[in-house]
Amino acid sequence: MGRFQAGDSTAMEELFARFQKPLFNFFYRMVGKRETAEDLVQETFVKLCRFGSSFRGSDAKFSTWLYSVAGNQCRDYLRHSSRRPEVLLDTIEDSESDSQEDTGPSTPDSPVEEEILRKETGRIIRDAIESLPNKEKEALVLREYNGLDYKEIADVLNCPIGSVKVLIFRARQRLRGKLKDFEGIA
Amino acid sequence: MKCGKAKILISAQMDEEISVKDSLALEEHLHSCPECADFKVEMASMSRTLALWADEEPSPYLAQRFAYKLQEMDEPSAPKRSFVSGWTFRTVAKIAAVVALVGLFVLSEKGPVNVVVDNGTSVTETATAPVDNTSDTVTVDPIETQPAAEVQPPVTEQQPKPAAPRRPHRRPAPSVEPSKPIEMAAANISETENSVMAEIDNAANTEVSTDVTVAMNLRESASNINDTLEIVRGNLQLAVDNLSSRSSQPDGK
């Protein structure tokens, strides 16, 4: 980030390469749509280019700052999308592809069956997380999948650490009920 | 320790976000509370289940799209500001429209005109007879004529900053023969001005999350205005040259 602020134009592309996947997965888990997640990743980095000069800190704090920007983007999107209910196309695509795969013969422990099981597991977990309130969802996703600690999550959500602790606990408690009947492979 | 607090601490302990003191107190509680002990086992199992939702790969074209976006942002013609203030575009659009109208008057057949054109190198002609513009359908805002060649977004301290966006006067396109270049340029400017005003109003009413898209539209409109200004500038230069050549002839026409 220091190189970018010093005028090194390639630094932004390197930052993008480093953070595009975790940011994409954060957005994808929050909004549920690949294309929207990719758009949000791009918008986040565009904001970074425009306002990156205002960042003052080390590399460790940069990721927190980046997730703060991403979190704001995500909340803006969810706020607007809640006014216009949209069908999760990924859900439709998954169900269509599952129905196509069901027609073929399946053997136990075959790679195909493993792939189906993996997708089905992801779908169940995704549906369960999708049902969480936005703030709890965001705290849980940042902790479980993006590996942020409570202090960083508190900075991203702009709330006390104690609130983060409670948000994550509540999210897990809700998920416990939804995933209880899932005969998972855990 | 009550079970409610213990369960929150169990969740925090999974993330290693618990103090040593709380950890000891929690362990003591778990020895005497089978419900919380079961809760801890369930939480650990659920955490393993959540980890089964693996990361997805973004599209391989995402990086390429961003690289193109970076190039677009680095272009010198692109405005550096993230949001262009509405009054700047309004002022530029008005100046462009006035320049086009001045050019229109210069090439009109109605008789001598009042022209003040400064191409940066020489001062121009002036006449005395008033302009007969009865056949023109274009109306002019009460604004000072600006130099044609050097049209830049001025910073005018007198320009009021409206609390609410005010609707500008929309001039109709001049109803003249479209074959005449100045008239065509004036019509283009009027049309471009209208589209810019629409974009500015759209931007004023648009939420923050779409300002990137609106900024792109504004940028495109600015580019259109620049192109039209170049056409008008060329035509005005032609008009000045014509006037100079007329005045140099012994009879004059």
Side-chain angles (χ1 to χ4, degrees):
Chain A
M1 191 60 193
R3 283 170 46 210
F4 171 71
Q5 289 172 325
D8 184 355
S9 57
T10 61
M12 183 49 64
E13 292 182 17
E14 288 180 26
L15 281 173
F16 187 86
R18 200 197 308 178
F19 286 100
Q20 67 160 328
K21 186 173 174 182
L23 265 193
F24 167 76
N25 279 284
F26 166 70
F27 284 125
Y28 182 55
R29 290 184 169 106
M30 289 297 296
V31 304
K33 288 174 272 190
R34 290 188 62 94
E35 292 76 20
T36 306
E38 290 180 357
D39 289 344
L40 289 171
V41 168
Q42 181 154 305
E43 285 178 24
T44 301
F45 275 92
V46 165
K47 273 205 160 88
L48 200 65
C49 289
R50 291 202 176 116
F51 305 117
S53 57
S54 65
F55 171 72
R56 296 284 180 270
S58 63
D59 282 344
K61 287 187 179 176
F62 168 74
S63 66
T64 308
W65 187 70
L66 182 63
Y67 279 109
S68 293
V69 175
N72 287 332
Q73 289 286 110
C74 187
R75 276 170 239 131
D76 281 345
Y77 172 80
L78 290 173
R79 197 178 308 128
H80 290 103
S81 68
S82 64
R83 297 176 195 161
R84 297 183 303 241
E86 296 173 15
V87 178
L88 286 179
L89 294 178
D90 287 10
T91 308
I92 294 176
E93 287 166 1
D94 282 350
S95 62
E96 285 176 354
S97 62
D98 286 348
S99 64
Q100 288 168 7
E101 289 172 358
D102 283 344
T103 57
S106 61
T107 58
D109 299 330
S110 69
V112 172
E113 192 170 293
E114 278 181 24
E115 179 66 13
I116 294 173
L117 197 58
R118 186 187 69 81
K119 279 192 173 178
E120 181 68 9
T121 304
R123 187 186 66 78
I124 290 172
I125 298 171
R126 182 180 64 197
D127 290 347
I129 290 180
E130 177 66 26
S131 66
L132 295 174
N134 285 341
K135 208 160 185 182
E136 290 178 17
K137 189 191 334 180
E138 189 173 353
L140 183 77
V141 166
L142 286 172
R143 174 65 213 124
E144 288 282 353
Y145 297 104
N146 291 94
L148 271 64
D149 60 32
Y150 281 19
K151 172 72 172 63
E152 290 169 328
I153 296 173
D155 289 339
V156 170
L157 298 183
N158 195 25
C159 66
I161 293 180
S163 300
V164 172
K165 206 178 283 189
V166 172
L167 284 170
I168 292 177
F169 162 71
R170 283 192 192 142
R172 285 173 173 154
Q173 204 169 31
R174 289 183 209 267
L175 288 179
R176 173 183 165 223
K178 292 183 182 298
L179 297 176
K180 205 170 185 180
D181 298 329
F182 171 52
E183 298 295 328
I185 7 191
Chain B
M1 182 184 291
K2 291 189 177 176
C3 291
K5 183 177 177 183
K7 287 177 180 175
I8 294 177
L9 288 178
I10 287 170
S11 171
Q13 190 179 49
M14 285 168 52
D15 302 321
E16 298 177 3
E17 296 273 357
I18 185 173
S19 65
V20 172
K21 178 182 168 188
D22 282 340
S23 181
L24 291 171
L26 179 62
E27 289 304 315
E28 191 177 331
H29 175 82
L30 291 177
H31 282 137
S32 58
C33 182
E35 182 188 341
C36 289
D38 288 342
F39 181 82
K40 183 174 178 179
V41 172
E42 285 178 23
M43 284 290 108
S45 171
M46 195 189 65
S47 186
R48 288 192 296 271
T49 301
L50 289 179
L52 293 174
W53 187 13
D55 280 353
E56 304 260 346
E57 288 293 332
S59 161
Y61 303 108
L62 182 58
Q64 196 175 35
R65 276 168 53 192
F66 181 65
Y68 287 148
K69 185 73 182 173
L70 271 185
Q71 283 180 7
E72 192 179 298
M73 289 172 65
D74 285 341
E75 280 170 9
S77 59
K80 299 300 180 185
R81 290 167 289 179
S82 61
F83 179 75
V84 182
S85 59
W87 70 262
T88 304
F89 263 109
R90 287 195 187 99
T91 307
V92 170
K94 282 183 180 174
I95 290 170
V98 167
V99 165
L101 291 170
V102 167
L104 180 68
F105 292 149
V106 167
L107 288 186
S108 73
E109 299 292 331
K110 299 294 183 290
V113 295
N114 277 326
V115 172
V116 178
V117 175
D118 184 359
N119 62 6
T121 57
S122 64
V123 185
T124 59
E125 314 292 326
T126 57
T128 55
V131 177
D132 178 11
N133 58 357
T134 53
S135 69
D136 278 349
T137 60
V138 177
T139 58
V140 182
D141 275 353
I143 189 172
E144 288 184 10
T145 304
Q146 300 287 336
E150 299 299 326
V151 178
Q152 297 173 1
V155 178
T156 57
E157 291 77 11
Q158 296 80 10
Q159 185 79 17
K161 290 192 176 181
R166 65 185 169 86
R167 307 285 299 186
H169 171 64
R170 308 245 183 218
R171 290 186 289 278
S175 58
V176 293
E177 295 173 19
S179 59
K180 296 185 180 178
I182 288 294
E183 287 78 4
M184 285 176 66
N188 287 341
I189 284 184
S190 183
E191 187 180 331
T192 303
E193 182 196 12
N194 289 339
S195 70
V196 169
M197 297 306 169
E199 291 293 345
I200 290 168
D201 288 339
N202 187 29
N205 296 324
T206 301
E207 302 283 348
V208 172
S209 63
T210 60
D211 63 351
V212 173
T213 304
V214 173
M216 288 171 61
N217 291 337
L218 284 173
R219 198 175 299 130
E220 187 178 339
S221 295
S223 177
N224 291 339
I225 285 183
N226 283 338
D227 293 343
T228 306
L229 281 174
E230 284 301 322
I231 295 172
V232 170
R233 196 174 294 132
N235 287 329
L236 285 174
Q237 184 62 50
L238 184 64
V240 167
D241 293 342
N242 285 340
L243 281 173
S244 300
S245 64
R246 281 187 202 174
S247 66
S248 66
Q249 291 175 6
D251 316 342
K253 281 191 178 178

